[in-house]
Amino acid sequence: MRVEIPSHCRHPWDVTPEEARAIQVRLAARVREEPLDRAVATVAGLDMGVRRERGRAVAVVLAVPSLSLVESAVWEGPIHFPYVPGLLSFREVPGLLRALERLHTEPDLLFTDSQGRAHPRRLGLASHLGVLLDRPTIGVAKARLCGQPQGELPELRGAWVPLVDRGQVIGAAVRTRPGAKPVYVSVGHRITLAEAVEWTLRCTTHYRLPEPTRLADRLSRSSGR
DNA sequence: GCGACAG
DNA sequence: ATCTTGTCGC
């Protein structure tokens, strides 16, 4: 897919943690929580596996509603930024962009294994990527970074409760599978929270995580290494 | 000072 | 995320 970062969103990746936080505050102002503006024919799943200082970023594209694999792309290379809670995107986004530009398709909706607005500065990896690409993006994380789920979450598949931080609804704890821990869904960019939850459930079949994310995760860690 | 902390 | 064996539960 075309990966052209608008000049007002460009920034260096080789930065100090302090500079990274300042960039997040600036880009968070560009996140748009609004209704999807297109029909969704394909969804993408993104993930990165890391070993030592080497990363393997994977982008997969699935057809909707069959969720069959359309294509996949991989990028491998050195990772420099360390893992710091709250700064994950500075570690993974550069590689994910390289994998995305090797795609022949233009996915309508991107799934990321991370937070979107459910982030201390409201710019998790999903939002960071979404803003750079100016494309609809959803964050689906296996664990919470900040915020508190409101009330008890029913065991029924599809149940969800708001995730609130400092008085703001930043995402949702969603039961994608009975008896399994919830996943944390938040808006990445150009989608509403209700739609993000809806699409997460629509793309989740037999497992706890959505198929796009699951496939990308599998490819980013298995074979080849 | 203490606890929490996406991947 | 990665490392890494067996084990508890449906």
Side-chain angles (χ1 to χ4, degrees):
Chain A
M1 69 178 283
R2 284 186 316 121
V3 174
E4 293 168 16
I5 311 302
S7 58
H8 58 267
C9 285
R10 295 197 70 258
H11 63 77
W13 293 103
D14 178 22
V15 293
T16 64
E18 295 68 36
E19 292 168 332
R21 292 186 184 94
I23 290 167
Q24 289 180 326
V25 170
R26 182 162 56 76
L27 290 185
R30 307 201 80 98
V31 173
R32 277 151 50 201
E33 188 160 350
E34 63 186 27
L36 266 175
D37 64 352
R38 68 195 71 195
V40 178
T42 55
V43 294
L46 308 170
D47 200 14
M48 176 179 276
V50 180
R51 222 165 73 170
R52 303 272 172 91
E53 299 287 87
R54 303 280 297 177
R56 178 191 180 90
V58 172
V60 299
V61 177
L62 311 191
V64 172
S66 68
L67 299 184
S68 54
L69 181 64
V70 173
E71 67 163 324
S72 65
V74 179
W75 171 87
E76 289 184 336
I79 300 299
H80 298 302
F81 206 89
Y83 170 69
V84 179
L87 302 183
L88 179 66
S89 58
F90 286 81
R91 180 176 172 83
E92 300 199 349
V93 167
L96 293 176
L97 291 174
R98 313 301 279 282
L100 281 167
E101 67 188 3
R102 292 181 178 178
L103 244 31
H104 297 164
T105 324
E106 296 271 332
D108 298 306
L109 178 61
L110 275 41
F111 280 87
T112 280
D113 191 359
S114 71
Q115 315 289 348
R117 301 202 63 193
H119 176 280
R121 288 167 295 282
R122 307 294 183 262
L123 195 87
L125 194 160
S127 293
H128 197 155
L129 197 62
V131 166
L132 293 192
L133 299 171
D134 193 27
R135 217 162 177 76
T137 309
I138 299 175
V140 182
K142 297 183 290 296
R144 192 184 53 80
L145 176 60
C146 65
Q148 295 300 327
Q150 301 302 292
E152 293 302 302
L153 181 61
E155 287 294 330
L156 305 171
R157 176 193 143 92
W160 64 279
V161 296
L163 183 65
V164 172
D165 183 48
R166 287 151 25 189
Q168 296 177 15
V169 175
I170 58 174
V174 182
R175 190 81 70 187
T176 53
R177 195 189 155 150
K181 291 188 301 181
V183 296
Y184 298 88
V185 177
S186 56
V187 168
H189 189 51
R190 299 183 66 168
I191 194 168
T192 65
L193 180 57
E195 289 173 325
V197 170
E198 178 185 333
W199 276 100
T200 296
L201 290 168
R202 189 170 293 170
C203 292
T204 304
T205 56
H206 309 306
Y207 300 88
R208 180 183 165 227
L209 298 172
E211 286 303 297
T213 300
R214 220 174 62 76
L215 238 173
D217 175 79
R218 212 162 61 69
L219 294 178
S220 72
R221 75 177 69 199
S222 72
S223 80
R225 290 181 312 146

